[in-house]
Amino acid sequence: DLVAIPKEHLGCHFDDKTFAAPTKGGGKSEQAVKSMYCHEGIFTAALWMADNLQQFIEKMLLPLNYKVLICGHSLGAGTACLLGLELRSRIPAFRKNYTDLRVLAYAPPPVVSFEASKACAPFVTSVINNSDIIPRSSLSNLVITNKLLLKVNEKLQAKGHKLDTWTSLRNYYNEEVAKVDDDLLLSPTELDDFFDETHAAPENEPDHLYVPGRCVVMWDKGDNNDNEIGGIVTDCGMRMLRMVELSSSMITDHMVVGYRDNMAKLMEQLGSTT
């Protein structure tokens, strides 16, 4: 029941009359898209797609009562979100409800302001897997991470460690990292205080970019919980999304296979509880 259209990678599900427009990586709503603060490069790609799809949607899909679903992963997810906002601003029929045009974004980068993210939540859903680096790759998050690393460096110097050369770093790793040490460089209280100081309320940061729409955040609960997958539905202001998680899986968590596997686990868990 899925028919692919060459070049554009589009598809139609005839049973439920849904038109799918995947994007690849690598009047309130109308006012929101005109005034919102967003990622310029990705918005340029969204405008190009909107120019190529608008007539097809208006002249063929809408007269046949088709719904439009835009989806993407990574940079394609960011493009999907901004494409959805642009089509909603151009086509009045999409502003009548939140079901005829929907966006599913997997691992999107931060591409819109906080206000725009909240405004598109009724029709945009972003999915974030564990410590995936891409949804956290905003300038504000990188600034916070840099401040945190400077704070860690101060703690290391106070203990007599000066890690300013590869040799000193290697020696520290060989001598200290393998030790079991309960004396944390930063206590949980110090970390909480740090993030309280560095995180302003998102509505007071108009120039910062955030993950768009309603956010479904998944995380691995670890070996002690049989590697169950936790999940929460939240928004872009969640603290977990407003800092870079320095993890060994921050890159692999971004891969499609990681999203597919953890979503399958989470849905299986949810199914077993009903």
Side-chain angles (χ1 to χ4, degrees):
D1 291 295
L2 183 65
V3 179
I5 302 175
K7 296 184 180 179
E8 294 292 346
H9 303 283
L10 310 176
C12 289
H13 288 272
F14 296 118
D15 289 345
D16 56 7
K17 285 197 169 184
T18 299
F19 172 74
T23 56
K24 300 173 70 176
K28 176 178 179 181
S29 298
E30 183 174 6
Q31 184 63 29
V33 76
K34 287 181 178 178
S35 62
M36 73 177 181
Y37 186 77
C38 68
H39 189 290
E40 182 181 5
I42 296 177
F43 189 50
T44 300
L47 289 176
W48 181 87
M49 291 196 69
D51 290 340
N52 282 272
L53 289 173
Q54 184 175 354
Q55 282 198 353
F56 177 67
I57 292 172
E58 289 183 310
K59 296 183 181 301
M60 184 171 183
L61 296 181
L62 293 183
L64 294 174
N65 295 319
Y66 270 77
K67 300 179 187 297
V68 175
L69 173 64
I70 308 172
C71 54
H73 172 262
S74 194
L75 294 180
T79 305
C81 295
L82 296 183
L83 174 60
L85 279 164
E86 179 65 16
L87 289 176
R88 190 173 170 84
S89 74
R90 292 187 184 190
I91 302 174
F94 287 150
R95 298 198 294 274
K96 294 179 179 179
N97 57 57
Y98 294 116
T99 58
D100 288 348
L101 171 68
R102 293 179 296 124
V103 178
L104 291 178
Y106 300 93
V111 292
V112 293
S113 65
F114 178 74
E115 290 301 325
S117 176
K118 298 279 283 186
C120 68
F123 64 97
V124 174
T125 299
S126 294
V127 182
I128 298 96
N129 180 41
N130 216 28
S131 59
D132 185 352
I133 181 63
I134 298 302
R136 298 170 171 85
S137 296
S138 66
L139 287 177
S140 57
N141 283 358
L142 293 177
V143 168
I144 290 170
T145 302
N146 183 60
K147 290 180 178 178
L148 178 60
L149 292 176
L150 289 173
K151 197 171 186 69
V152 169
N153 189 53
E154 291 175 2
K155 291 283 189 176
L156 287 170
Q157 289 184 354
K159 286 192 168 190
H161 301 293
K162 190 176 181 181
L163 308 182
D164 54 355
T165 65
W166 283 111
T167 301
S168 62
L169 181 62
R170 183 174 63 250
N171 291 340
Y172 173 77
Y173 181 83
N174 291 335
E175 295 171 8
E176 299 292 334
V177 173
K179 292 181 181 178
V180 178
D181 188 357
D182 293 331
D183 185 16
L184 300 173
L185 284 175
L186 289 171
S187 69
T189 301
E190 287 178 304
L191 277 176
D192 284 339
D193 291 342
F194 170 79
F195 287 117
D196 286 339
E197 293 172 7
T198 54
H199 283 79
E203 58 269 21
N204 296 328
E205 298 177 332
D207 295 334
H208 293 176
L209 295 178
Y210 296 86
V211 171
R214 177 179 60 174
C215 299
V216 178
V217 182
M218 305 181 294
W219 65 90
D220 191 332
K221 293 184 178 181
D223 295 336
N224 292 335
N225 292 283
D226 298 322
N227 290 110
E228 286 189 353
I229 303 300
I232 187 173
V233 179
T234 182
D235 62 36
C236 63
M238 182 184 184
R239 177 176 287 189
M240 184 177 174
L241 300 178
R242 301 184 63 212
M243 59 183 180
V244 175
E245 291 196 24
L246 301 176
S247 163
S248 60
S249 65
M250 60 195 295
I251 302 299
T252 55
D253 282 338
H254 180 65
M255 304 305 174
V256 171
V257 63
Y259 275 79
R260 183 187 63 202
D261 291 349
N262 282 350
M263 287 178 64
K265 288 181 184 178
L266 184 57
M267 288 189 288
E268 183 179 355
Q269 290 170 200
L270 292 173
S272 66
T273 61
T274 59

PDB file of all heavy atoms in Angstrom, residues 61-77:
ATOM      1  N   LEU A  61      -3.542  16.624  -3.481  1.00  0.00           N
ATOM      2  CA  LEU A  61      -3.789  15.928  -2.222  1.00  0.00           C
ATOM      3  C   LEU A  61      -5.015  16.455  -1.490  1.00  0.00           C
ATOM      4  O   LEU A  61      -5.862  15.677  -1.036  1.00  0.00           O
ATOM      5  CB  LEU A  61      -2.559  16.019  -1.326  1.00  0.00           C
ATOM      6  CG  LEU A  61      -1.289  15.339  -1.850  1.00  0.00           C
ATOM      7  CD1 LEU A  61      -0.154  15.496  -0.844  1.00  0.00           C
ATOM      8  CD2 LEU A  61      -1.527  13.863  -2.127  1.00  0.00           C
ATOM      9  N   LEU A  62      -5.126  17.772  -1.345  1.00  0.00           N
ATOM     10  CA  LEU A  62      -6.235  18.330  -0.577  1.00  0.00           C
ATOM     11  C   LEU A  62      -7.597  18.055  -1.220  1.00  0.00           C
ATOM     12  O   LEU A  62      -8.548  17.716  -0.500  1.00  0.00           O
ATOM     13  CB  LEU A  62      -6.023  19.831  -0.352  1.00  0.00           C
ATOM     14  CG  LEU A  62      -4.828  20.194   0.550  1.00  0.00           C
ATOM     15  CD1 LEU A  62      -4.761  21.699   0.763  1.00  0.00           C
ATOM     16  CD2 LEU A  62      -4.906  19.471   1.884  1.00  0.00           C
ATOM     17  N   PRO A  63      -7.733  18.164  -2.560  1.00  0.00           N
ATOM     18  CA  PRO A  63      -9.026  17.820  -3.161  1.00  0.00           C
ATOM     19  C   PRO A  63      -9.431  16.363  -2.940  1.00  0.00           C
ATOM     20  O   PRO A  63     -10.617  16.027  -2.947  1.00  0.00           O
ATOM     21  CB  PRO A  63      -8.813  18.113  -4.655  1.00  0.00           C
ATOM     22  CG  PRO A  63      -7.743  19.153  -4.681  1.00  0.00           C
ATOM     23  CD  PRO A  63      -6.825  18.778  -3.555  1.00  0.00           C
ATOM     24  N   LEU A  64      -8.446  15.491  -2.721  1.00  0.00           N
ATOM     25  CA  LEU A  64      -8.726  14.072  -2.476  1.00  0.00           C
ATOM     26  C   LEU A  64      -8.815  13.762  -0.975  1.00  0.00           C
ATOM     27  O   LEU A  64      -8.896  12.600  -0.580  1.00  0.00           O
ATOM     28  CB  LEU A  64      -7.629  13.206  -3.106  1.00  0.00           C
ATOM     29  CG  LEU A  64      -7.549  13.235  -4.636  1.00  0.00           C
ATOM     30  CD1 LEU A  64      -6.332  12.469  -5.128  1.00  0.00           C
ATOM     31  CD2 LEU A  64      -8.825  12.656  -5.252  1.00  0.00           C
ATOM     32  N   ASN A  65      -8.782  14.813  -0.153  1.00  0.00           N
ATOM     33  CA  ASN A  65      -8.895  14.675   1.310  1.00  0.00           C
ATOM     34  C   ASN A  65      -7.753  13.883   1.928  1.00  0.00           C
ATOM     35  O   ASN A  65      -7.961  13.137   2.901  1.00  0.00           O
ATOM     36  CB  ASN A  65     -10.245  14.041   1.687  1.00  0.00           C
ATOM     37  CG  ASN A  65     -11.413  14.929   1.313  1.00  0.00           C
ATOM     38  OD1 ASN A  65     -11.357  16.147   1.500  1.00  0.00           O
ATOM     39  ND2 ASN A  65     -12.463  14.334   0.766  1.00  0.00           N
ATOM     40  N   TYR A  66      -6.564  14.026   1.364  1.00  0.00           N
ATOM     41  CA  TYR A  66      -5.391  13.380   1.947  1.00  0.00           C
ATOM     42  C   TYR A  66      -4.834  14.227   3.082  1.00  0.00           C
ATOM     43  O   TYR A  66      -4.874  15.458   3.043  1.00  0.00           O
ATOM     44  CB  TYR A  66      -4.297  13.164   0.898  1.00  0.00           C
ATOM     45  CG  TYR A  66      -4.396  11.837   0.194  1.00  0.00           C
ATOM     46  CD1 TYR A  66      -5.343  11.619  -0.806  1.00  0.00           C
ATOM     47  CD2 TYR A  66      -3.545  10.784   0.545  1.00  0.00           C
ATOM     48  CE1 TYR A  66      -5.439  10.403  -1.443  1.00  0.00           C
ATOM     49  CE2 TYR A  66      -3.636   9.557  -0.096  1.00  0.00           C
ATOM     50  CZ  TYR A  66      -4.581   9.371  -1.086  1.00  0.00           C
ATOM     51  OH  TYR A  66      -4.675   8.155  -1.717  1.00  0.00           O
ATOM     52  N   LYS A  67      -4.287  13.546   4.093  1.00  0.00           N
ATOM     53  CA  LYS A  67      -3.548  14.204   5.157  1.00  0.00           C
ATOM     54  C   LYS A  67      -2.059  14.161   4.802  1.00  0.00           C
ATOM     55  O   LYS A  67      -1.634  13.287   4.045  1.00  0.00           O
ATOM     56  CB  LYS A  67      -3.789  13.518   6.499  1.00  0.00           C
ATOM     57  CG  LYS A  67      -5.254  13.499   6.936  1.00  0.00           C
ATOM     58  CD  LYS A  67      -5.413  12.782   8.260  1.00  0.00           C
ATOM     59  CE  LYS A  67      -6.878  12.607   8.637  1.00  0.00           C
ATOM     60  NZ  LYS A  67      -7.556  13.901   8.830  1.00  0.00           N
ATOM     61  N   VAL A  68      -1.286  15.079   5.337  1.00  0.00           N
ATOM     62  CA  VAL A  68       0.144  15.158   5.031  1.00  0.00           C
ATOM     63  C   VAL A  68       0.951  14.882   6.295  1.00  0.00           C
ATOM     64  O   VAL A  68       0.713  15.500   7.346  1.00  0.00           O
ATOM     65  CB  VAL A  68       0.518  16.542   4.451  1.00  0.00           C
ATOM     66  CG1 VAL A  68       2.031  16.648   4.265  1.00  0.00           C
ATOM     67  CG2 VAL A  68      -0.197  16.771   3.121  1.00  0.00           C
ATOM     68  N   LEU A  69       1.882  13.946   6.199  1.00  0.00           N
ATOM     69  CA  LEU A  69       2.797  13.606   7.283  1.00  0.00           C
ATOM     70  C   LEU A  69       4.220  13.847   6.799  1.00  0.00           C
ATOM     71  O   LEU A  69       4.658  13.258   5.817  1.00  0.00           O
ATOM     72  CB  LEU A  69       2.633  12.142   7.699  1.00  0.00           C
ATOM     73  CG  LEU A  69       3.648  11.593   8.707  1.00  0.00           C
ATOM     74  CD1 LEU A  69       3.516  12.320  10.048  1.00  0.00           C
ATOM     75  CD2 LEU A  69       3.470  10.092   8.895  1.00  0.00           C
ATOM     76  N   ILE A  70       4.933  14.742   7.468  1.00  0.00           N
ATOM     77  CA  ILE A  70       6.321  15.044   7.121  1.00  0.00           C
ATOM     78  C   ILE A  70       7.215  14.442   8.203  1.00  0.00           C
ATOM     79  O   ILE A  70       6.977  14.639   9.391  1.00  0.00           O
ATOM     80  CB  ILE A  70       6.565  16.563   7.051  1.00  0.00           C
ATOM     81  CG1 ILE A  70       5.528  17.235   6.151  1.00  0.00           C
ATOM     82  CG2 ILE A  70       7.971  16.860   6.533  1.00  0.00           C
ATOM     83  CD1 ILE A  70       5.581  18.754   6.190  1.00  0.00           C
ATOM     84  N   CYS A  71       8.226  13.693   7.788  1.00  0.00           N
ATOM     85  CA  CYS A  71       9.100  13.058   8.775  1.00  0.00           C
ATOM     86  C   CYS A  71      10.552  13.153   8.323  1.00  0.00           C
ATOM     87  O   CYS A  71      10.841  13.339   7.139  1.00  0.00           O
ATOM     88  CB  CYS A  71       8.704  11.602   9.015  1.00  0.00           C
ATOM     89  SG  CYS A  71       8.622  10.594   7.519  1.00  0.00           S
ATOM     90  N   GLY A  72      11.457  13.041   9.272  1.00  0.00           N
ATOM     91  CA  GLY A  72      12.866  13.099   8.929  1.00  0.00           C
ATOM     92  C   GLY A  72      13.727  12.752  10.122  1.00  0.00           C
ATOM     93  O   GLY A  72      13.262  12.679  11.266  1.00  0.00           O
ATOM     94  N   HIS A  73      15.019  12.539   9.852  1.00  0.00           N
ATOM     95  CA  HIS A  73      15.989  12.212  10.896  1.00  0.00           C
ATOM     96  C   HIS A  73      17.168  13.177  10.803  1.00  0.00           C
ATOM     97  O   HIS A  73      17.607  13.539   9.717  1.00  0.00           O
ATOM     98  CB  HIS A  73      16.482  10.762  10.727  1.00  0.00           C
ATOM     99  CG  HIS A  73      17.621  10.399  11.634  1.00  0.00           C
ATOM    100  ND1 HIS A  73      18.940  10.426  11.224  1.00  0.00           N
ATOM    101  CD2 HIS A  73      17.640  10.017  12.939  1.00  0.00           C
ATOM    102  CE1 HIS A  73      19.720  10.067  12.234  1.00  0.00           C
ATOM    103  NE2 HIS A  73      18.960   9.799  13.279  1.00  0.00           N
ATOM    104  N   SER A  74      17.648  13.635  11.956  1.00  0.00           N
ATOM    105  CA  SER A  74      18.815  14.495  12.039  1.00  0.00           C
ATOM    106  C   SER A  74      18.544  15.837  11.352  1.00  0.00           C
ATOM    107  O   SER A  74      17.551  16.493  11.652  1.00  0.00           O
ATOM    108  CB  SER A  74      20.029  13.781  11.436  1.00  0.00           C
ATOM    109  OG  SER A  74      21.229  14.441  11.773  1.00  0.00           O
ATOM    110  N   LEU A  75      19.407  16.255  10.413  1.00  0.00           N
ATOM    111  CA  LEU A  75      19.162  17.516   9.713  1.00  0.00           C
ATOM    112  C   LEU A  75      17.854  17.461   8.940  1.00  0.00           C
ATOM    113  O   LEU A  75      17.163  18.476   8.781  1.00  0.00           O
ATOM    114  CB  LEU A  75      20.328  17.833   8.773  1.00  0.00           C
ATOM    115  CG  LEU A  75      21.674  18.137   9.442  1.00  0.00           C
ATOM    116  CD1 LEU A  75      22.738  18.425   8.386  1.00  0.00           C
ATOM    117  CD2 LEU A  75      21.559  19.298  10.401  1.00  0.00           C
ATOM    118  N   GLY A  76      17.507  16.263   8.450  1.00  0.00           N
ATOM    119  CA  GLY A  76      16.219  16.096   7.774  1.00  0.00           C
ATOM    120  C   GLY A  76      15.050  16.327   8.711  1.00  0.00           C
ATOM    121  O   GLY A  76      13.997  16.806   8.291  1.00  0.00           O
ATOM    122  N   ALA A  77      15.242  16.005   9.999  1.00  0.00           N
ATOM    123  CA  ALA A  77      14.186  16.255  10.982  1.00  0.00           C
ATOM    124  C   ALA A  77      14.011  17.753  11.208  1.00  0.00           C
ATOM    125  O   ALA A  77      12.891  18.256  11.340  1.00  0.00           O
ATOM    126  CB  ALA A  77      14.531  15.570  12.303  1.00  0.00           C
TER     127      ALA A  77
END
